[in-house]
Each structure stands twice: as structure tokens, then as C-alpha cells.
Amino acid sequence: TKIIKIELSAGKEEKEFTVERYLQALILRDEDYAKSLMKNPPELLTISNPRYVGFKILESSRKQDKNQAYKESESDKAGEYVDAEVYLSYTAHPYFMIEKSRYYLSSHESGYIIDNIEPLENIQVYEKNGVVYLEKELKNQAVAQSENPIKLELFKQDDIPVEFLPDVPFRFSCLAYYNPEDTTEGTDGMLIFTLQTFDNGQQNTNGKSKKPSVSLLSYSLKEKNFKLIDKISEPSGGIMCTNLTINSTGQYAAMDLFMEGPQMKNYTLVYDLSSAEKVDIVDLLEISNYQSTIDIQDDDLNEDYISQSINLNSVFWNKNGLVFSVRIYQQSMNFNYQPELKKVEAS
């Protein structure tokens, strides 16, 4: 897997560029490249679940406000650092994590190298026994243990309006959390989550079994209310949510879905959370643009057949949009989707 191109512009500090490349390598699970950017890399950097699904660079080598929970230490003054947060998600399970860390760097022959990574703060959001929790832990040793971690019960399954609930058995599936920078104790954020139904033999009025479906909802921690964003179902085959992510501004979300049945495929929907407008990004791909790079032996295959052979999945959000992967006939290509413009470009 290759690293997605990151442009080093005049306004971008080279040390931020190094941290961006490192975090992108973690997302793409290119451990060899990630380790090449570290002075003393550990043996293992990534695991299958939870996995890295996005990141955001926060600031570089500037003193923290004196009222913040984590403060600048003597070691900060001796070297340069970059603060960043990364987002982790668990495939098809209700778990999301934000890790905020400080990356210390020093000059190197190729620019900068990461000397050390200091954890600053973790936020975990998860569901257990029908209850959704938010847990915030400050890693600074100066924080009193009695105040750390902070654990909040966000809501119970019974709190969800009954009109938003499926009429067949379901479970909590994927979830993602947006944490505003000015949040206090994690109380002003937004949670998006899915309710996954499953086939338990129940039948529709036409005598056919009800196929698995997905409901996408949001919950405001400040307003303490729910919104139903979408319901996705397909009579010919079940729909399952495999991944849900939210961009660093909290405006857009990407949901990876798997369709069972005769038209089995993986595809990705992108939502504008303020309007609930959705885009199936496969519709923005021009199949004819890729035929020259696809080894098709049968001249009789038409565009519709090729379109059915496309599988998509999101990779990660960056400041430019959603990086996603397209697989056609065992060949994989990466693209970037800019939701503001509804535009797809090759990465």
C-alpha cells in the first residue's frame, strides 16, 4: 500500500509534514514506513481492531494555555513538538476512540524524525448492555486520580424514540464521535451510530423474510436529543454496516455498507450531517476512465456489468476530504472525495 501524496506547502511546517506521513502510514498499516520516521520504533504499531481511521494536526511548538489540563514541561522547551489526535474504530462494533498525543521531533538528515510520543488524552465512546458511555482519561501525571477518568452515561437504548427503532430485533453496530475543541468534559459533542437488524425468520406481508437493514441516527450531547438520519434496506439482500467515520469538523460522515444477495457488493455513503443529504460516491466514478487500467479479457462486458463489479470502502478522512479505495477485478485504486464540491479525484 502506498502513502497518499501529501503536499508540503510553504505554510506547512516540515515537522507537521513528518507527523502527517507517520499517521497516514499507521492508517494504511505500512509499519515499515512508519518505523522509518521514528528514532526508536516499537516492534508493533498497529492491530486489526480497533484500527486507525483518521487524524487531525492540532498545533506545533506553542505553549499550552496555563488553564489546560496538560501543561508544557521542561522537556517541551528543549525540543520541537506537534500535537495531533487520531481516530480509531472497531469494525461492525459500537466502539470509537480519540487519542490525543504530543509528538517530539528533532532534526534529521531527511528533515525531522520522531523522538518520542507522549499520550495526552483518550476519549472512548462505546455501548455495553444497551447503554452508551463516554470515557475521558487525561494522561498527564499531574491530574488527580480521583478525577480521572471521567465516565459519563450518555443514554440507554430505551431513551431512543420508539418511532426511530426497527420493528424487528436489532443491535448497536458502528458508531463515531465528534468532539469539539471547546468541549468541557466531553459534554458538547455529537455521536452518530447505527442500529443493525438481523434475519430472525420474521416475514413481510408478502411472505418473504425481512432482510437485515441499517438505521443511522445522531445524538447531541448538549441538547440530549436524537435524530433519525437514514434507513437503508434492500429487498433482494441484507444490508450490514461495517464502518462509520466522521470528519474532523463534524460536518460529514462516511458509512461503509455490505449488501448480501445476488448483487453482493461493498459500497460507501457520505452524509452531510446538517441536512441529512447523502451521496453514493460510486455514482461519481466514471467507469470509462478506468477501463484502460483494467485487464478485461471479454470484449462483450458492458459498463453495467463492470459497474456491478466495483467495490468501495472508506480509508480515512483528512483535511481535503475522504480517501477511499476502489476495487475492480482484484485491482485497487485510491481516490479522494471532496464532499463540499461532490467531486472525486485520484489520490
Side-chain angles (χ1 to χ4, degrees), residues 30-82:
D30 188 346
E31 293 212 4
D32 290 339
Y33 186 75
K35 289 178 179 180
S36 73
L37 298 172
M38 306 178 75
K39 181 174 289 186
N40 298 299
E43 290 187 13
L44 184 66
L45 285 173
T46 64
I47 56 176
S48 297
N49 273 306
R51 69 188 190 284
Y52 294 98
V53 294
F55 66 88
K56 180 181 180 181
I57 301 297
L58 301 176
E59 64 175 21
S60 301
S61 297
R62 291 197 300 269
K63 292 183 179 181
Q64 299 288 343
D65 185 276
K66 65 180 180 179
N67 295 318
Q68 283 194 240
Y70 42 87
K71 300 180 174 65
E72 188 178 51
S73 64
E74 289 301 319
S75 58
D76 295 348
K77 300 171 185 176
E80 297 185 82
Y81 66 82
V82 173

Side-chain angles (χ1 to χ4, degrees), residues 17 32 62 73 84 94 113 128 130 138-139 145 148 153 158 194 266 283 294 301 303 313 315 326 330 332:
F17 178 66
D32 290 339
R62 291 197 300 269
S73 64
I113 193 166
K128 184 177 182 181
L138 301 174
K139 296 295 186 176
Q145 291 302 308
N148 197 38
E153 179 182 304
D158 292 342
T194 57
N266 294 280
D283 295 338
I294 303 171
L301 296 183
E303 185 168 311
N313 68 276
V315 181
V326 177
Q330 308 303 315
S332 180

Side-chain angles (χ1 to χ4, degrees), residues 122-136:
N122 284 350
I123 296 176
Q124 298 181 79
V125 183
Y126 58 91
E127 178 267 342
K128 184 177 182 181
N129 299 324
V131 181
V132 176
Y133 298 95
L134 182 147
E135 200 167 302
K136 180 176 180 179

Side-chain angles (χ1 to χ4, degrees), residues 69-336:
Y70 42 87
K71 300 180 174 65
E72 188 178 51
S73 64
E74 289 301 319
S75 58
D76 295 348
K77 300 171 185 176
E80 297 185 82
Y81 66 82
V82 173
D83 287 350
E85 59 185 25
V86 295
Y87 314 116
L88 297 95
S89 179
Y90 207 108
T91 304
H93 282 74
Y95 178 88
F96 193 82
M97 184 176 186
I98 302 173
E99 286 185 344
K100 185 178 294 185
S101 301
R102 178 161 293 171
Y103 299 79
Y104 294 99
L105 302 100
S106 59
S107 298
H108 188 260
E109 57 186 14
S110 59
Y112 279 87
I113 193 166
I114 298 171
D115 297 324
N116 184 42
I117 302 173
E118 177 188 356
L120 298 177
E121 176 185 291
N122 284 350
I123 296 176
Q124 298 181 79
V125 183
Y126 58 91
E127 178 267 342
K128 184 177 182 181
N129 299 324
V131 181
V132 176
Y133 298 95
L134 182 147
E135 200 167 302
K136 180 176 180 179
E137 182 179 9
L138 301 174
K139 296 295 186 176
N140 191 294
Q141 295 298 317
V143 176
Q145 291 302 308
S146 61
E147 302 173 3
N148 197 38
I150 299 167
K151 185 174 181 179
L152 303 174
E153 179 182 304
L154 299 185
F155 62 86
K156 299 182 177 67
Q157 179 177 309
D158 292 342
D159 297 328
I160 303 173
V162 66
E163 62 268 25
F164 295 167
L165 298 176
D167 59 1
V168 295
F170 65 90
R171 68 174 180 86
F172 284 89
S173 184
C174 308
L175 62 77
Y177 175 65
Y178 168 62
N179 182 52
E181 291 183 12
D182 60 351
T183 187
T184 302
E185 297 185 357
T187 56
D188 295 335
M190 179 178 64
L191 177 71
I192 54 174
F193 62 98
T194 57
L195 302 178
Q196 175 75 61
T197 69
F198 44 90
D199 188 350
N200 69 337
Q202 290 193 26
Q203 296 182 338
N204 293 312
T205 54
N206 60 8
K208 295 183 179 181
S209 63
K210 292 184 177 181
K211 301 296 184 182
S213 64
V214 173
S215 297
L216 175 63
L217 297 91
S218 66
Y219 176 74
S220 167
L221 277 67
K222 184 176 183 179
E223 304 296 334
K224 300 188 184 303
N225 61 7
F226 297 87
K227 291 182 181 179
L228 178 63
I229 300 172
D230 198 10
K231 284 188 175 181
I232 307 100
S233 61
E234 172 55 51
S236 64
I239 301 291
M240 289 178 288
C241 178
T242 57
N243 193 37
L244 181 65
T245 58
I246 192 166
N247 78 331
S248 61
T249 67
Q251 184 174 355
Y252 298 100
M255 181 164 57
D256 291 338
L257 297 166
F258 172 68
M259 180 190 293
E260 300 176 313
Q263 295 183 335
M264 183 173 63
K265 65 175 181 178
N266 294 280
Y267 65 106
T268 301
L269 300 177
V270 176
Y271 292 84
D272 183 330
L273 295 176
S274 62
S275 65
E277 180 185 6
K278 69 177 175 182
V279 173
D280 186 345
I281 51 180
V282 72
D283 295 338
L284 302 179
L285 294 171
E286 297 291 338
I287 304 303
S288 58
N289 292 345
Y290 314 134
Q291 290 185 352
S292 62
T293 63
I294 303 171
D295 184 16
I296 301 176
Q297 302 298 326
D298 192 341
D299 293 335
D300 295 329
L301 296 183
N302 58 32
E303 185 168 311
D304 289 339
Y305 186 92
I306 296 172
S307 179
Q308 293 172 10
S309 303
I310 295 178
N311 284 278
L312 275 74
N313 68 276
S314 61
V315 181
F316 68 99
W317 286 99
N318 61 24
K319 65 181 182 180
N320 298 318
L322 178 71
V323 176
F324 65 97
S325 176
V326 177
R327 295 181 304 285
I328 311 176
Y329 294 106
Q330 308 303 315
Q331 300 177 56
S332 180
M333 296 167 282
N334 286 326
F335 294 85
N336 190 79

